[in-house]
Amino acid sequence: ALPTASPSRGEPHLEPRLMGSTYLLLDTNVVLHQIDLLERPVLRDVIILQTVLDEVRHNKVSVHKRLRALVDDASRRFHVFCNESHRETFTRREAGESPNDRNDRAIRAAGSWYASQLGPSGPKVLLLTNDRDNLRKAVAAGLDAQVIHSYVRGLPEASELQDLLALPPDDSAAADGGARMALPAGRYAAHLSMSEMTRGLQAGEFHQGKLKVNRHNPSRASVLVQSARGAAAGGETATELRIVGRQSMNRALEGDVVVVRVLPRAEWSVGGGRVGGRNASGPRGEDKAPDEEDELAQPDRLGGVRIAPEMAADADEPRSGGDARPCAAVVGVVKRERRTYPCVLDPDSAIGSQHLAEPLDARVPKINITTRQADMLAKKIISMRTR
């Protein structure tokens, strides 16, 4: 049910009729981060602005496709309003204004226009946003606005729907007043941007390949990379680089296409490793398996592949042993392998509504999740999907 008239042209025309009493006007950050929630049929009569649609397509094509599917489903009543083409809602970018600030202002302008169209006695228009600055400015302009977490808590299906909510950027104490599991500050290095990784690959400083995690020791992995210089010369030079420890994996998972930086020779691994469970190298790893030869350290694993000369040149420390293996650290993820992992909840990990889900695949680390249905999920197999 969308108003189509101008405020100066009489009564607004609403067709089809609004089912409830409120239209939901979504900010871009809500669509990008809460698409799982939006796909639930409990949310209807939603206004999608052209500004939001364009921003979502620019930021994440997969989410844009899911949003278009909702718009195409007539039963969901997701309505697109071309605010960028409407003379009373078009918003020109001001001097010195960032594109993001301009888009936020365009969303608020469209919300104000809807409010003026519908009038004080008509249906409400509620702006849902998790942007604090946008929320503050919307309230100051007289708009009805909320963070989506507050809105969902007021719904009858809140206990189920809150499990679908992604945490806000500041976590807001897990968005429910509960404690939040926190990693030690600086435990993982920030991933490089795509432009930085591209420059490094072109300069020969970085190398790209698919991450393969050791099934018997998930804190060990390898990446088979093709030497850029060898390929340019028409050669077949390839190198298997070892990734030792979760910190060096830097949040990359089995099957991800990653970019790695070769470590100095002083940090190369020598000899076998210790075989253990997924927590073997973590702060909470108590149950370590007996010593066995690390699969990645077996001499025939290289299959006769020789170390690329330029990788050896990158090492600025003398090599301490004849059997040292080249090691690397992940600096970024080019492509995330989308998979679904069967998991079980760790019953001893609960901190408030925070729990650790333990994948049945030992190569995947435990996943921190928020759920208010832990009792119902206990001793059941649950599916976790990577994005």
Side-chain angles (χ1 to χ4, degrees):
L2 298 181
T4 58
S6 165
S8 60
R9 294 181 182 177
E11 294 298 320
H13 174 66
L14 300 179
E15 184 61 37
R17 290 292 173 184
L18 178 67
M19 285 184 174
S21 61
T22 304
Y23 286 112
L24 302 179
L25 181 64
L26 304 183
D27 194 359
T28 305
N29 56 59
V30 169
V31 177
L32 286 173
H33 300 120
Q34 311 296 346
I35 188 66
D36 290 339
L37 173 71
L38 298 180
E39 289 177 331
R40 287 301 178 99
V42 67
L43 296 181
R44 299 174 185 271
D45 295 308
V46 177
I47 298 171
I48 304 296
L49 300 178
Q50 180 185 348
T51 301
V52 173
L53 204 60
D54 291 344
E55 269 198 290
V56 171
R57 182 175 62 242
H58 176 74
N59 281 277
K60 201 161 189 179
V61 175
S62 61
V63 174
H64 179 262
K65 290 180 179 178
R66 295 167 71 180
L67 181 60
R68 290 301 315 188
L70 292 174
V71 171
D72 294 339
D73 184 354
S75 67
R76 295 302 309 278
R77 304 167 71 86
F78 274 60
H79 310 284
V80 176
F81 174 50
C82 296
N83 63 306
E84 299 289 356
S85 303
H86 196 290
R87 65 180 182 182
E88 295 178 30
T89 57
F90 173 75
T91 304
R92 192 178 302 277
R93 184 178 173 185
E94 298 176 349
E97 186 177 36
S98 70
N100 183 66
D101 288 342
R102 179 265 168 199
N103 290 339
D104 287 346
R105 190 160 56 88
I107 292 171
R108 296 194 299 273
S112 297
W113 181 79
Y114 267 108
S116 66
Q117 282 276 34
L118 298 171
S121 59
K124 281 179 53 180
V125 175
L126 177 63
L127 172 63
L128 296 180
T129 178
N130 282 341
D131 186 315
R132 286 184 173 181
D133 187 58
N134 198 21
L135 178 65
R136 177 181 58 80
K137 291 178 179 178
V139 172
L143 294 175
D144 289 322
Q146 276 186 297
V147 295
I148 192 167
H149 295 76
S150 298
Y151 174 75
V152 170
R153 280 198 293 269
L155 297 176
E157 306 87 349
S159 60
E160 177 185 353
L161 296 178
Q162 285 186 97
D163 280 359
L164 298 172
L165 284 169
L167 289 174
D170 61 356
D171 282 358
S172 298
D176 61 358
R180 171 79 175 145
M181 295 179 186
L183 289 173
R187 178 174 180 180
Y188 294 108
H191 287 170
L192 299 183
S193 67
M194 190 61 68
S195 59
E196 290 174 315
M197 290 190 290
T198 301
R199 285 196 297 270
L201 288 169
Q202 292 173 344
E205 299 173 4
F206 301 148
H207 305 275
Q208 179 175 314
K210 182 173 287 191
L211 187 74
K212 296 294 183 183
V213 180
N214 190 328
R215 287 186 177 275
H216 306 294
N217 190 345
S219 65
R220 301 289 187 270
S222 65
V223 177
L224 186 65
V225 301
Q226 190 74 24
S227 164
R229 297 177 191 177
E236 298 294 332
T237 304
T239 302
E240 186 179 57
L241 301 175
R242 300 183 74 183
I243 312 293
V244 181
R246 289 291 183 190
Q247 279 186 291
S248 293
M249 290 187 206
N250 200 4
R251 294 158 289 165
L253 300 176
E254 165 71 19
D256 289 351
V257 178
V258 298
V259 171
V260 299
R261 171 179 57 84
V262 178
L263 298 176
R265 282 186 183 175
E267 300 178 35
W268 286 12
S269 178
V270 179
R274 185 179 180 86
V275 178
R278 61 163 48 84
N279 293 324
S281 63
R284 300 172 64 185
E286 303 91 354
D287 47 339
K288 302 200 178 187
D291 282 333
E292 292 180 22
E293 184 182 13
D294 186 350
E295 176 186 302
L296 291 180
Q298 295 175 7
D300 60 348
R301 283 280 291 168
L302 285 178
V305 176
R306 63 188 181 88
I307 297 174
E310 65 270 20
M311 292 185 183
D314 288 339
D316 49 17
E317 298 292 339
R319 189 167 169 177
S320 59
D323 59 346
R325 301 280 301 284
C327 291
V330 174
V331 298
V333 177
V334 176
K335 182 180 180 182
R336 181 74 75 182
E337 179 74 7
R338 297 190 63 179
R339 290 184 178 178
T340 299
Y341 298 102
C343 307
V344 294
L345 284 186
D346 182 348
D348 300 322
S349 66
I351 300 179
S353 60
Q354 298 293 306
H355 299 263
L356 290 178
E358 184 169 349
L360 301 185
D361 186 343
R363 295 173 297 176
V364 183
K366 291 183 179 181
I367 303 168
N368 189 10
I369 66 171
T370 303
T371 180
R372 294 154 187 83
Q373 304 178 67
D375 292 339
M376 186 268 288
L377 296 175
K379 299 181 180 180
K380 292 184 179 179
I381 304 294
I382 56 178
S383 293
M384 306 294 294
R385 183 178 62 189
T386 58
R387 295 183 178 181

